[in-house]
């Protein structure tokens, strides 16, 4: 068994990190080189800003290089519940914003020519119990009628051509996609670099303060100043960003990648080749990788211990 990230293991390494020293003044300093930091750096650099990205480890080292590889449209939870909580207008807007996020990624991949196996595979939300199917069917009726016609309700017998395991039915969201997260995150870094962003790996920000109206960020490789700072450190936010650290509760989620499945095994388990999630409270999610490994994930426990 290997304990490396499957996505990094099967993607080219980022080849254009700046070697340092870390010095000078920038319009924006971005802390963290995951999807958030890199997408922002690319966008800012494209708009003409001088941008530096400071990453403690390497590009995509955090959650961006260790996830399930699903791009799910719509809401992970009940649209009916969102309407009750937020009102219909805001629930629809939220649903559409999540749809738009996949459109944005698809457009970015095309614009930058990122080779990352992006595919609108569709997502199955699978009913693990009969009563879960009733709830999924009720939710489907509202989603399909009010916000997303590209959905379908599948019965248990419809699922025979989709998944091998005995689920009780599913909602299919056709706009959902999958991609190779390692190739995407490295492609995003290369794109940010091409637009002029400086990306430094192995540059943990150990101190951040403001002096003379500027931000001062200290790393082992040197110190930079910036007019603005974007903290994009996600669940890995360190105690020196105390305001943010105190407001984040990391929740553990883990994936495994099997050996490549044979054609016979795929036909017996995942003939539909979509992204799948089940309906358990502490659920599982899975899909096939481009090399036919099963990428299987779940929230095994609510601590962040790996
Ligand atoms: C097991 C698992 C499965 C998931 N599955 C999915 C999925 O299928 N679909 C989906 O949409 N989402 C999924 N997610 C969530 C998704 O991966 C994250 O929401 C996303 O990657 C967060 O990106 P980010 O850039 O905000 O943070 P990260 O990718 O975590 O990046 C933060 C970076 O900040 C760096 N950093 C931290 N502190 C400092 C510092 N002081 N100085 C410099 N750098 C620092 C870290 O080294 C890290 O590289 C999953 C997450 C996990 C863990």
């Amino acid at each position: 068994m290997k304990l490396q990230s499957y996505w990094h293991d099967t993607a080219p390494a980022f080849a254009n990190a700046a070697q340092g020293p870390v010095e000078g003044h920038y319009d924006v300093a971005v802390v963290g080189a995951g999807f958030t930091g890199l997408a922002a750096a690319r966008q800012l650099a494209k708009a003409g800003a001088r941008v530096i990205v400071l990453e403690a480890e390497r590009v995509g080292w955090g959650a961006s290089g260790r996830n399930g590889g699903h791009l799910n449209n719509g809401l992970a939870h009940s649209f009916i519940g969102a309407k009750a909580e937020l009102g219909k207008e805001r629930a629809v807007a939220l649903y559409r914003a999540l749809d738009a996020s996949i459109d944005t990624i698809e457009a970015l991949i095309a614009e930058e020519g990122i080779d990352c196996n992006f595919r609108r595979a569709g997502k199955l939300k699978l009913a693990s119990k009969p009563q879960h199917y009733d709830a999924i069917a009720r939710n489907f009726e509202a989603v399909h009628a009010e916000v997303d016609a590209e959905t379908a309700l599948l019965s248990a017998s419809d699922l025979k051509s989709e998944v091998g395991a005995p689920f009780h039915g599913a909602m299919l969201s056709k706009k959902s996609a999958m991609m190779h997260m390692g190739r995407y995150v490295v492609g995003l870094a290369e794109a940010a670099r091409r637009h002029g962003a400086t990306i430094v790996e192995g540059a943990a920000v150990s101190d951040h303060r403001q002096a003379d109206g500027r931000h001062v960020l200290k790393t082992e490789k040197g110190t930079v100043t910036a007019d603005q700072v974007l903290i994009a450190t996600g669940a890995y936010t360190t105690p020196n960003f105390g305001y943010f650290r105190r407001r984040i509760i990391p929740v553990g989620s883990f994936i495994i990648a099997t050996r490549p499945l044979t054609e016979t095994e795929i036909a017996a388990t995942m003939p539909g080749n979509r992204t799948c999630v089940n309906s358990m409270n502490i659920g599982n999610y899975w899909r096939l990788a481009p090399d036919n490994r099963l990428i299987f994930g779940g929230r095994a426990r609510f601590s962040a211990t790996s």
Side-chain angles (χ1 to χ4, degrees), residues 31-37 54-72 181 203-206 232-238 240-241 251 253-255 285 298:
V31 186
F35 298 148
T36 307
L54 300 167
E55 165 54 47
E57 303 285 341
R58 63 188 178 112
V59 158
W61 177 87
S64 301
R66 307 159 185 251
N67 55 61
H70 300 208
L71 288 83
N72 295 330
M181 296 307 212
V205 174
S206 55
T233 48
Y236 298 91
T237 302
T238 42
N240 52 314
F241 296 109
V251 173
S253 189
F254 306 88
I255 59 166
Y285 46 90

Short mmCIF file of all heavy atoms in Angstrom, two decimals, residues 31-37 54-72 181 203-206 232-238 240-241 251 253-255 285 298, ligand 1:
data_model
loop_
_atom_site.label_atom_id
_atom_site.label_comp_id
_atom_site.label_asym_id
_atom_site.label_seq_id
_atom_site.Cartn_x
_atom_site.Cartn_y
_atom_site.Cartn_z
N VAL A 31 -1.52 33.34 0.13
CA VAL A 31 -0.93 32.32 1.00
C VAL A 31 -1.69 31.02 0.77
O VAL A 31 -2.89 30.92 1.05
CB VAL A 31 -1.00 32.73 2.49
CG1 VAL A 31 -0.23 31.73 3.35
CG2 VAL A 31 -0.44 34.14 2.68
N GLY A 32 -1.00 30.01 0.22
CA GLY A 32 -1.63 28.71 -0.05
C GLY A 32 -1.83 28.48 -1.54
O GLY A 32 -2.44 29.30 -2.23
N ALA A 33 -1.29 27.36 -2.04
CA ALA A 33 -1.38 27.05 -3.48
C ALA A 33 -2.27 25.83 -3.72
O ALA A 33 -1.85 24.82 -4.28
CB ALA A 33 0.01 26.83 -4.07
N GLY A 34 -3.52 25.94 -3.25
CA GLY A 34 -4.55 24.97 -3.63
C GLY A 34 -5.43 25.60 -4.70
O GLY A 34 -5.06 26.62 -5.31
N PHE A 35 -6.60 25.02 -4.93
CA PHE A 35 -7.51 25.57 -5.95
C PHE A 35 -7.82 27.05 -5.68
O PHE A 35 -7.84 27.87 -6.60
CB PHE A 35 -8.85 24.82 -5.96
CG PHE A 35 -8.76 23.36 -6.31
CD1 PHE A 35 -9.66 22.45 -5.74
CD2 PHE A 35 -7.81 22.89 -7.20
CE1 PHE A 35 -9.60 21.10 -6.07
CE2 PHE A 35 -7.75 21.54 -7.53
CZ PHE A 35 -8.65 20.64 -6.95
N THR A 36 -8.08 27.39 -4.40
CA THR A 36 -8.50 28.75 -4.07
C THR A 36 -7.40 29.75 -4.39
O THR A 36 -7.63 30.73 -5.12
CB THR A 36 -8.86 28.85 -2.57
OG1 THR A 36 -9.81 27.83 -2.26
CG2 THR A 36 -9.44 30.20 -2.21
N GLY A 37 -6.21 29.50 -3.84
CA GLY A 37 -5.11 30.45 -4.03
C GLY A 37 -4.68 30.54 -5.48
O GLY A 37 -4.43 31.64 -6.00
N LEU A 54 2.62 32.09 -1.94
CA LEU A 54 3.55 31.47 -0.98
C LEU A 54 2.91 30.17 -0.49
O LEU A 54 1.85 30.19 0.14
CB LEU A 54 3.80 32.43 0.18
CG LEU A 54 4.42 33.78 -0.23
CD1 LEU A 54 4.36 34.78 0.91
CD2 LEU A 54 5.85 33.59 -0.72
N GLU A 55 3.54 29.04 -0.78
CA GLU A 55 2.99 27.73 -0.41
C GLU A 55 3.96 27.03 0.53
O GLU A 55 5.15 26.90 0.23
CB GLU A 55 2.75 26.89 -1.68
CG GLU A 55 2.51 25.41 -1.45
CD GLU A 55 1.39 25.07 -0.47
OE1 GLU A 55 0.30 25.65 -0.58
OE2 GLU A 55 1.61 24.22 0.43
N ALA A 56 3.43 26.57 1.66
CA ALA A 56 4.28 25.94 2.68
C ALA A 56 4.94 24.66 2.15
O ALA A 56 6.10 24.37 2.44
CB ALA A 56 3.45 25.61 3.92
N GLU A 57 4.19 23.87 1.38
CA GLU A 57 4.70 22.58 0.92
C GLU A 57 4.94 22.64 -0.58
O GLU A 57 5.95 23.13 -1.02
CB GLU A 57 3.68 21.47 1.27
CG GLU A 57 3.34 21.41 2.77
CD GLU A 57 4.44 20.79 3.61
OE1 GLU A 57 5.30 20.10 3.04
OE2 GLU A 57 4.44 21.00 4.84
N ARG A 58 3.99 22.13 -1.36
CA ARG A 58 4.10 22.25 -2.81
C ARG A 58 2.71 22.43 -3.40
O ARG A 58 1.70 22.20 -2.70
CB ARG A 58 4.81 21.05 -3.42
CG ARG A 58 4.09 19.74 -3.23
CD ARG A 58 4.98 18.59 -3.69
NE ARG A 58 4.33 17.32 -3.48
CZ ARG A 58 3.90 16.52 -4.44
NH1 ARG A 58 4.02 16.87 -5.70
NH2 ARG A 58 3.34 15.37 -4.15
N VAL A 59 2.66 22.83 -4.65
CA VAL A 59 1.38 23.09 -5.32
C VAL A 59 0.43 21.90 -5.13
O VAL A 59 0.81 20.75 -5.38
CB VAL A 59 1.65 23.37 -6.82
CG1 VAL A 59 0.42 23.10 -7.67
CG2 VAL A 59 2.15 24.79 -7.01
N GLY A 60 -0.78 22.18 -4.64
CA GLY A 60 -1.80 21.14 -4.50
C GLY A 60 -1.56 20.18 -3.35
O GLY A 60 -2.20 19.13 -3.26
N TRP A 61 -0.69 20.54 -2.41
CA TRP A 61 -0.34 19.62 -1.31
C TRP A 61 -1.54 19.37 -0.38
O TRP A 61 -1.69 18.30 0.18
CB TRP A 61 0.82 20.21 -0.50
CG TRP A 61 1.20 19.38 0.69
CD1 TRP A 61 2.07 18.33 0.71
CD2 TRP A 61 0.71 19.53 2.03
NE1 TRP A 61 2.15 17.82 1.99
CE2 TRP A 61 1.33 18.54 2.81
CE3 TRP A 61 -0.19 20.42 2.65
CZ2 TRP A 61 1.09 18.39 4.18
CZ3 TRP A 61 -0.43 20.27 4.01
CH2 TRP A 61 0.21 19.27 4.76
N GLY A 62 -2.41 20.36 -0.22
CA GLY A 62 -3.54 20.25 0.72
C GLY A 62 -4.70 19.47 0.12
O GLY A 62 -4.51 18.55 -0.69
N ALA A 63 -5.91 19.86 0.51
CA ALA A 63 -7.11 19.13 0.08
C ALA A 63 -7.22 19.07 -1.44
O ALA A 63 -7.77 18.11 -1.99
CB ALA A 63 -8.35 19.78 0.68
N SER A 64 -6.67 20.08 -2.13
CA SER A 64 -6.79 20.12 -3.59
C SER A 64 -6.09 18.94 -4.27
O SER A 64 -6.40 18.61 -5.41
CB SER A 64 -6.24 21.44 -4.14
OG SER A 64 -6.95 22.52 -3.56
N GLY A 65 -5.15 18.32 -3.57
CA GLY A 65 -4.47 17.17 -4.15
C GLY A 65 -4.86 15.86 -3.49
O GLY A 65 -4.19 14.84 -3.69
N ARG A 66 -5.94 15.87 -2.71
CA ARG A 66 -6.28 14.64 -1.96
C ARG A 66 -7.77 14.37 -1.96
O ARG A 66 -8.31 13.82 -0.99
CB ARG A 66 -5.91 14.80 -0.48
CG ARG A 66 -4.52 15.23 -0.20
CD ARG A 66 -4.44 15.84 1.18
NE ARG A 66 -3.11 16.35 1.42
CZ ARG A 66 -2.24 15.80 2.25
NH1 ARG A 66 -2.57 14.76 2.95
NH2 ARG A 66 -1.05 16.32 2.39
N ASN A 67 -8.48 14.79 -2.96
CA ASN A 67 -9.95 14.72 -2.85
C ASN A 67 -10.55 13.66 -3.77
O ASN A 67 -9.85 12.92 -4.45
CB ASN A 67 -10.55 16.10 -3.12
CG ASN A 67 -10.09 16.62 -4.45
OD1 ASN A 67 -10.37 16.01 -5.46
ND2 ASN A 67 -9.37 17.73 -4.45
N GLY A 68 -11.89 13.63 -3.79
CA GLY A 68 -12.59 12.57 -4.50
C GLY A 68 -12.65 12.75 -6.01
O GLY A 68 -13.00 11.82 -6.74
N GLY A 69 -12.37 13.97 -6.50
CA GLY A 69 -12.38 14.20 -7.94
C GLY A 69 -13.77 14.38 -8.53
O GLY A 69 -13.97 14.25 -9.73
N HIS A 70 -14.76 14.72 -7.67
CA HIS A 70 -16.12 14.97 -8.16
C HIS A 70 -16.32 16.47 -8.31
O HIS A 70 -15.90 17.24 -7.45
CB HIS A 70 -17.17 14.51 -7.13
CG HIS A 70 -17.12 13.06 -6.78
ND1 HIS A 70 -18.24 12.37 -6.38
CD2 HIS A 70 -16.11 12.16 -6.75
CE1 HIS A 70 -17.92 11.11 -6.12
NE2 HIS A 70 -16.62 10.97 -6.33
N LEU A 71 -17.02 16.89 -9.37
CA LEU A 71 -17.46 18.29 -9.48
C LEU A 71 -18.98 18.24 -9.48
O LEU A 71 -19.61 17.99 -10.52
CB LEU A 71 -16.96 18.93 -10.78
CG LEU A 71 -15.45 19.25 -10.84
CD1 LEU A 71 -14.64 18.03 -11.22
CD2 LEU A 71 -15.20 20.36 -11.82
N ASN A 72 -19.55 18.41 -8.31
CA ASN A 72 -20.99 18.22 -8.17
C ASN A 72 -21.75 19.51 -8.40
O ASN A 72 -21.46 20.52 -7.77
CB ASN A 72 -21.31 17.69 -6.77
CG ASN A 72 -20.72 16.30 -6.57
OD1 ASN A 72 -20.59 15.54 -7.52
ND2 ASN A 72 -20.34 15.99 -5.35
N MET A 181 -7.75 15.55 -10.50
CA MET A 181 -7.48 16.73 -9.67
C MET A 181 -6.00 17.12 -9.66
O MET A 181 -5.68 18.31 -9.54
CB MET A 181 -7.97 16.49 -8.24
CG MET A 181 -9.47 16.30 -8.15
SD MET A 181 -10.39 17.65 -8.93
CE MET A 181 -11.86 17.71 -7.92
N ALA A 203 7.55 27.56 1.21
CA ALA A 203 7.64 28.93 1.77
C ALA A 203 6.47 29.16 2.72
O ALA A 203 5.54 29.92 2.43
CB ALA A 203 7.65 29.96 0.64
N ALA A 204 6.52 28.47 3.86
CA ALA A 204 5.45 28.65 4.87
C ALA A 204 5.51 30.07 5.42
O ALA A 204 6.59 30.54 5.80
CB ALA A 204 5.64 27.65 6.00
N VAL A 205 4.37 30.73 5.46
CA VAL A 205 4.33 32.07 6.06
C VAL A 205 4.26 31.89 7.57
O VAL A 205 3.29 31.35 8.10
CB VAL A 205 3.12 32.86 5.53
CG1 VAL A 205 3.00 34.20 6.26
CG2 VAL A 205 3.25 33.08 4.02
N SER A 206 5.33 32.32 8.24
CA SER A 206 5.40 32.10 9.69
C SER A 206 4.99 33.34 10.47
O SER A 206 4.71 33.27 11.66
CB SER A 206 6.82 31.68 10.09
OG SER A 206 7.74 32.65 9.60
N ALA A 232 -5.46 31.73 1.70
CA ALA A 232 -6.15 30.62 1.02
C ALA A 232 -5.61 29.30 1.56
O ALA A 232 -5.22 28.41 0.82
CB ALA A 232 -5.95 30.73 -0.49
N THR A 233 -5.60 29.20 2.89
CA THR A 233 -4.95 28.07 3.55
C THR A 233 -5.95 26.99 3.99
O THR A 233 -5.53 25.95 4.51
CB THR A 233 -4.14 28.57 4.76
OG1 THR A 233 -4.98 29.46 5.53
CG2 THR A 233 -2.92 29.35 4.32
N GLY A 234 -7.23 27.24 3.81
CA GLY A 234 -8.27 26.24 4.04
C GLY A 234 -8.15 25.54 5.38
O GLY A 234 -7.87 26.16 6.42
N ALA A 235 -8.33 24.23 5.37
CA ALA A 235 -8.32 23.44 6.61
C ALA A 235 -6.93 23.38 7.24
O ALA A 235 -6.79 22.97 8.39
CB ALA A 235 -8.80 22.03 6.32
N TYR A 236 -5.90 23.79 6.46
CA TYR A 236 -4.52 23.70 6.96
C TYR A 236 -4.04 25.02 7.55
O TYR A 236 -2.85 25.21 7.77
CB TYR A 236 -3.59 23.25 5.81
CG TYR A 236 -3.97 21.89 5.30
CD1 TYR A 236 -4.86 21.74 4.25
CD2 TYR A 236 -3.47 20.74 5.92
CE1 TYR A 236 -5.24 20.49 3.80
CE2 TYR A 236 -3.85 19.48 5.48
CZ TYR A 236 -4.74 19.37 4.42
OH TYR A 236 -5.12 18.12 3.99
N THR A 237 -4.97 25.94 7.79
CA THR A 237 -4.62 27.26 8.33
C THR A 237 -3.85 27.11 9.64
O THR A 237 -4.27 26.41 10.55
CB THR A 237 -5.90 28.09 8.55
OG1 THR A 237 -6.57 28.20 7.29
CG2 THR A 237 -5.58 29.48 9.07
N THR A 238 -2.70 27.79 9.70
CA THR A 238 -1.79 27.63 10.85
C THR A 238 -2.13 28.66 11.94
O THR A 238 -2.76 29.68 11.66
CB THR A 238 -0.33 27.80 10.37
OG1 THR A 238 -0.27 28.90 9.44
CG2 THR A 238 0.16 26.55 9.69
N ASN A 240 -0.63 31.00 13.28
CA ASN A 240 -0.23 32.41 13.12
C ASN A 240 -1.29 33.23 12.39
O ASN A 240 -1.23 34.45 12.40
CB ASN A 240 1.15 32.54 12.44
CG ASN A 240 1.24 31.78 11.15
OD1 ASN A 240 0.84 30.63 11.08
ND2 ASN A 240 1.75 32.41 10.11
N PHE A 241 -2.27 32.56 11.74
CA PHE A 241 -3.43 33.28 11.21
C PHE A 241 -4.60 33.04 12.17
O PHE A 241 -5.62 32.44 11.82
CB PHE A 241 -3.77 32.81 9.79
CG PHE A 241 -2.69 33.11 8.80
CD1 PHE A 241 -1.90 32.10 8.27
CD2 PHE A 241 -2.44 34.42 8.41
CE1 PHE A 241 -0.89 32.39 7.36
CE2 PHE A 241 -1.43 34.72 7.50
CZ PHE A 241 -0.65 33.71 6.98
N VAL A 251 -12.61 18.92 9.25
CA VAL A 251 -13.34 17.64 9.38
C VAL A 251 -12.63 16.63 8.50
O VAL A 251 -12.39 16.89 7.32
CB VAL A 251 -14.81 17.80 8.93
CG1 VAL A 251 -15.52 16.46 8.90
CG2 VAL A 251 -15.54 18.77 9.85
N SER A 253 -11.76 13.63 6.05
CA SER A 253 -12.37 12.83 4.99
C SER A 253 -11.19 12.20 4.25
O SER A 253 -10.14 12.82 4.14
CB SER A 253 -13.20 13.71 4.05
OG SER A 253 -13.94 12.91 3.15
N PHE A 254 -11.36 10.97 3.79
CA PHE A 254 -10.19 10.22 3.32
C PHE A 254 -10.55 9.48 2.04
O PHE A 254 -11.69 9.04 1.87
CB PHE A 254 -9.77 9.20 4.39
CG PHE A 254 -9.53 9.85 5.74
CD1 PHE A 254 -10.57 10.00 6.64
CD2 PHE A 254 -8.29 10.34 6.07
CE1 PHE A 254 -10.37 10.64 7.87
CE2 PHE A 254 -8.07 10.98 7.28
CZ PHE A 254 -9.12 11.12 8.19
N ILE A 255 -9.57 9.32 1.15
CA ILE A 255 -9.83 8.51 -0.04
C ILE A 255 -8.79 7.40 -0.18
O ILE A 255 -7.66 7.54 0.29
CB ILE A 255 -9.86 9.33 -1.36
CG1 ILE A 255 -8.54 10.07 -1.60
CG2 ILE A 255 -11.02 10.27 -1.40
CD1 ILE A 255 -8.42 10.60 -3.03
N TYR A 285 -18.34 8.28 -1.16
CA TYR A 285 -18.37 8.79 -2.54
C TYR A 285 -17.31 8.04 -3.33
O TYR A 285 -16.26 7.68 -2.79
CB TYR A 285 -18.13 10.31 -2.56
CG TYR A 285 -16.99 10.78 -1.69
CD1 TYR A 285 -15.69 10.87 -2.20
CD2 TYR A 285 -17.19 11.09 -0.35
CE1 TYR A 285 -14.63 11.29 -1.40
CE2 TYR A 285 -16.14 11.50 0.46
CZ TYR A 285 -14.87 11.59 -0.06
OH TYR A 285 -13.82 11.99 0.73
N GLY A 298 -14.67 8.66 2.07
CA GLY A 298 -15.70 8.74 3.09
C GLY A 298 -15.24 9.54 4.29
O GLY A 298 -14.04 9.80 4.45
C1 LIG B 1 -10.71 13.39 1.15
C2 LIG B 1 -11.34 14.61 0.53
C3 LIG B 1 -12.25 14.45 -0.51
C4 LIG B 1 -12.82 15.57 -1.12
N1 LIG B 1 -13.61 15.38 -2.22
C5 LIG B 1 -14.07 16.44 -2.91
C6 LIG B 1 -14.76 16.26 -4.14
O1 LIG B 1 -14.90 15.15 -4.63
N2 LIG B 1 -15.24 17.36 -4.77
C7 LIG B 1 -15.04 18.63 -4.26
O2 LIG B 1 -15.50 19.60 -4.88
N3 LIG B 1 -14.36 18.84 -3.11
C8 LIG B 1 -13.85 17.77 -2.44
N4 LIG B 1 -13.12 17.97 -1.30
C9 LIG B 1 -12.89 19.35 -0.84
C10 LIG B 1 -11.86 20.08 -1.71
O3 LIG B 1 -10.75 19.26 -1.97
C11 LIG B 1 -11.44 21.37 -0.98
O4 LIG B 1 -12.58 22.16 -0.72
C12 LIG B 1 -10.47 22.21 -1.81
O5 LIG B 1 -9.39 21.45 -2.32
C13 LIG B 1 -9.94 23.35 -0.94
O6 LIG B 1 -8.98 24.06 -1.70
P1 LIG B 1 -8.18 25.23 -1.03
O7 LIG B 1 -7.29 25.79 -2.06
O8 LIG B 1 -9.13 26.17 -0.37
O9 LIG B 1 -7.35 24.54 0.16
P2 LIG B 1 -6.14 23.49 0.10
O10 LIG B 1 -6.09 22.75 -1.18
O11 LIG B 1 -6.21 22.69 1.35
O12 LIG B 1 -4.85 24.42 0.10
C14 LIG B 1 -4.41 25.11 1.23
C15 LIG B 1 -2.89 25.26 1.09
O13 LIG B 1 -2.44 26.21 2.05
C16 LIG B 1 -1.14 25.83 2.43
N5 LIG B 1 -0.80 26.51 3.68
C17 LIG B 1 -1.38 26.37 4.90
N6 LIG B 1 -0.80 27.19 5.80
C18 LIG B 1 0.17 27.88 5.14
C19 LIG B 1 1.11 28.88 5.53
N7 LIG B 1 1.18 29.34 6.78
N8 LIG B 1 1.98 29.36 4.58
C20 LIG B 1 1.93 28.92 3.29
N9 LIG B 1 1.05 27.96 2.88
C21 LIG B 1 0.18 27.45 3.79
C22 LIG B 1 -1.22 24.32 2.55
O14 LIG B 1 0.08 23.71 2.48
C23 LIG B 1 -2.12 23.96 1.38
O15 LIG B 1 -1.39 23.58 0.22
C24 LIG B 1 -12.52 16.88 -0.65
C25 LIG B 1 -11.61 17.05 0.40
C26 LIG B 1 -11.01 15.93 0.97
C27 LIG B 1 -10.00 16.14 2.08
#
